[in-house]
Amino acid sequence: YQGVNLILLISMPAVGIGLLVGFLISLFQAVTQIQEQTLTFVPKVVSVLLMIAFTSPWIISMIVDFTTTLWSTIPNMVR
């Protein structure tokens, strides 16, 4: 249960920025009637990669904390 919550929490910034950038580009395409497929793909990939790079220290600390907690509770599960 905690692992699923952690994955959802960690993935939210990248998915959210991808959604926001995709919406803004779709809105721009609808207004200007430019229907170029690469116009949506490249900015979304760049923005998601930048978000992952920006939030990577937080992501790593969350994963390390979860792993430490998981390993420390293993002896309690054996009893």
Side-chain angles (χ1 to χ4, degrees):
Y1 179 71
Q2 290 176 339
V4 173
N5 284 340
L6 180 66
I7 294 299
L8 289 174
L9 185 66
I10 286 173
S11 65
M12 266 197 252
V15 171
I17 197 72
L19 181 70
L20 180 67
V21 169
F23 174 74
L24 292 175
I25 291 174
S26 295
L27 187 65
F28 173 75
Q29 283 182 328
V31 169
T32 61
Q33 295 182 354
I34 298 173
Q35 297 301 321
E36 180 64 33
Q37 294 299 321
T38 57
L39 186 62
T40 60
F41 181 72
V42 174
K44 280 199 287 188
V45 169
V46 169
S47 64
V48 167
L49 289 176
L50 286 174
M51 182 57 76
I52 290 172
F54 180 71
T55 59
S56 63
W58 173 73
I59 291 171
I60 291 171
S61 70
M62 294 289 286
I63 292 173
V64 167
D65 290 344
F66 177 74
T67 306
T68 305
T69 304
L70 183 67
W71 278 97
S72 65
T73 58
I74 287 176
N76 296 335
M77 292 180 192
V78 176
R79 293 182 191 174

